[in-house]
Amino acid sequence: MDLDVITKYSALHAKPGGLILQYGTAGFRTKAEHLDHVMFRMGLLAVLRSKQTKSTIGVMVTASHNPEEDNGVKLVDPLGEMLAPSWEEHATCLANAEEQDMQRVLIGIIEKEAVNLQQDAFVVIGRDTRPSSEKLSHSVIDGVTILRGQFHDYGLLTTPQLHYMVYCRNTSGQYGKATIEGMEMKSNERCCSFDGDADRIVYYYRDADGHFHLIDGDKIATLISSFLKELLLEIGENLNIGVVQTAYANGSSTRYLEEVMKVPVYCTKTGVKHLHHKAQEFDIGIYFEANGHGTVLFSKVAEMKIKQLAKELEDNKRKVAKMLENIIDLFNQAAGDAISDMLVTEAILALKGLTIQQWDALYTDLPNRQLKVKVADRQVINTTDAERQAVTPPGLQEAINGLVKKYRLSRAFVRPSGTEDVVRVYAEADSQESADSLAHEVSLAVFQLAGGVGERPQPGF
Ligand code: 16G
Ligand code: MG
């Protein structure tokens, strides 16, 4: 061990003089700006602990629930547990040693714990999503490498995942496989995902040939609408159902809802508030964006009627009315809610005995493509007809109409994004090739007529 090299590198992660921190309940935590030296030194300490235990040690950079400006670090012991208390003391001493005392403290730990410096060391590192975490985890890595430890940086990881990785690695895979890929998607198995704040949901599966099938908000709306319509038919109740979509709804879904299921479909501007508002006009308003935002709203009148029927009707009809009454409670009528939508979907699939493949087969999505175009000012694009027609800039809608005519079963529209500084382009057609080519041509029209900036849109995706 070259102590001079360590001292030299330590100075690059210099400790603010006089700063005293404690390895507390869950490691060190304080303002991120005060933690660089702690991270470097915990990298050193993890290597020593790894050498001593002849095991992989974990280092997690996180301050859990603390405010964003804070950060923290904790070490994970060989069986995935928290660091042994005697080493917590070493951690505190090492973190608090002034620069000139660092070497001495380090040697003290090596001697006290009889660390064999010839032993190999391996450290695994994880971090949370705080803006400061990436840089701080690099300081940990600096500490590990300067002591010639090997490492694997998992990047973003939950804390329990890191504990799990350490445990798996130290038990030669007996406890489990040290992998973060999450679940394994077996063929034809039903899967679903939520977005980060759990207000969107999509289902999907991989078929026996390995093809991925996405079951989006449109198909969820279709499943729910058909189920509710069937129940209403069974109890002979003629409540007014409406399905609300946006221009992003796949053309096949709209056609299926209108022509096969015979439910009226309405199109609003993109954004939950627009769909929600429209859905309030019906006894039962089913709204979903293709991207998975959605729920079902029941008017007070509908709710009362269903509750009354659940009391009045008999036998099977009563059961059906009761089922409707229960499903009202399962929906979150305040806003689309991935968890409640999943429970509704699971209940419907179970009650109808439907597999995900049967559900998927209700209709086949038209191939489609979405693209973004950068323009100087996206507000030059104004739309009407629920964003399906561009009113300005002049000539743009005419150009789109001309392009759409070249393809079969085609449709395209453009709109300024409400969340990013781009113009979004959507195109669908009878084949993927056509949808891709139409989207590209429309992008070029936007670029030319709406003040495109940077490179012209290129074909190919
Ligand atoms: C927001 C909207 C979502 C919409 C998306 C469109 C809510 C809660 N979320 O995420 O409904 O689909 O924006 O984004 O309203 P864009 O305007 O960038 O295409
Ligand atoms: Mg969301």
Side-chain angles (χ1 to χ4, degrees), residues 277-299:
H277 189 68
K278 183 72 191 171
Q280 285 171 329
E281 291 178 12
F282 309 94
D283 290 329
I284 302 182
I286 298 147
Y287 76 82
F288 266 89
E289 289 190 307
N291 64 23
H293 277 124
T295 189
V296 177
L297 306 182
F298 295 82
S299 71

Side-chain angles (χ1 to χ4, degrees), residues 24 47 68 155 165 214 233 255-256 259 266 290 308 335-336 378 386 411:
V47 171
E68 188 175 277
M165 294 305 161
L214 177 70
L233 266 177
R255 207 164 62 95
Y256 181 85
E259 293 176 14
Y266 301 84
Q308 199 183 337
R378 67 192 198 278
R411 189 167 72 88

Side-chain angles (χ1 to χ4, degrees), residues 227-245:
F227 180 71
L228 293 177
K229 203 174 163 182
E230 272 170 31
L231 294 191
L232 289 173
L233 266 177
E234 282 187 51
I235 57 170
E237 198 49 52
N238 195 17
L239 290 170
N240 162 21
I241 294 190
V243 177
V244 187
Q245 304 186 315

Side-chain angles (χ1 to χ4, degrees), residues 188-324:
N188 290 327
E189 207 169 61
R190 183 169 79 253
C191 307
C192 73
S193 290
F194 303 165
D195 74 335
D197 59 350
D199 64 357
R200 290 197 284 146
I201 178 171
V202 289
Y203 271 82
Y204 48 93
Y205 69 98
R206 203 181 282 290
D207 66 22
D209 298 329
H211 293 129
F212 180 83
H213 295 246
L214 177 70
I215 301 195
D216 62 4
D218 301 341
K219 248 179 201 156
I220 298 173
T222 309
L223 180 77
I224 294 172
S225 322
S226 69
F227 180 71
L228 293 177
K229 203 174 163 182
E230 272 170 31
L231 294 191
L232 289 173
L233 266 177
E234 282 187 51
I235 57 170
E237 198 49 52
N238 195 17
L239 290 170
N240 162 21
I241 294 190
V243 177
V244 187
Q245 304 186 315
T246 71
Y248 288 106
N250 195 278
S252 291
S253 75
T254 315
R255 207 164 62 95
Y256 181 85
L257 284 161
E258 286 178 333
E259 293 176 14
V260 181
M261 284 185 44
K262 311 265 186 243
V263 290
V265 180
Y266 301 84
C267 186
T268 68
K269 288 203 255 180
T270 299
V272 168
K273 60 186 176 195
H274 302 295
L275 291 106
H276 191 94
H277 189 68
K278 183 72 191 171
Q280 285 171 329
E281 291 178 12
F282 309 94
D283 290 329
I284 302 182
I286 298 147
Y287 76 82
F288 266 89
E289 289 190 307
N291 64 23
H293 277 124
T295 189
V296 177
L297 306 182
F298 295 82
S299 71
K300 279 284 156 260
V301 171
E303 210 169 318
M304 272 161 61
K305 216 175 227 175
I306 290 166
K307 279 194 162 63
Q308 199 183 337
L309 290 171
K311 279 197 210 119
E312 283 172 6
L313 291 174
E314 286 178 7
D315 306 327
N316 192 49
K317 286 194 173 177
R318 187 193 184 121
K319 209 176 128 196
V320 172
K322 192 89 197 130
M323 204 185 277
L324 265 172

Side-chain angles (χ1 to χ4, degrees), residues 419-450:
T419 62
E420 273 182 77
D421 189 13
V422 293
V423 174
R424 295 201 195 283
V425 171
Y426 178 90
E428 67 184 29
D430 62 338
S431 70
Q432 191 60 55
E433 206 185 358
S434 298
D436 288 354
S437 148
L438 176 57
H440 173 61
E441 289 175 329
V442 172
S443 300
L444 285 176
V446 170
F447 191 85
Q448 279 155 12
L449 298 167

Side-chain angles (χ1 to χ4, degrees), residues 390-403:
V391 189
T392 61
L396 180 57
Q397 188 56 48
E398 289 73 14
I400 295 173
N401 293 345
L403 295 168

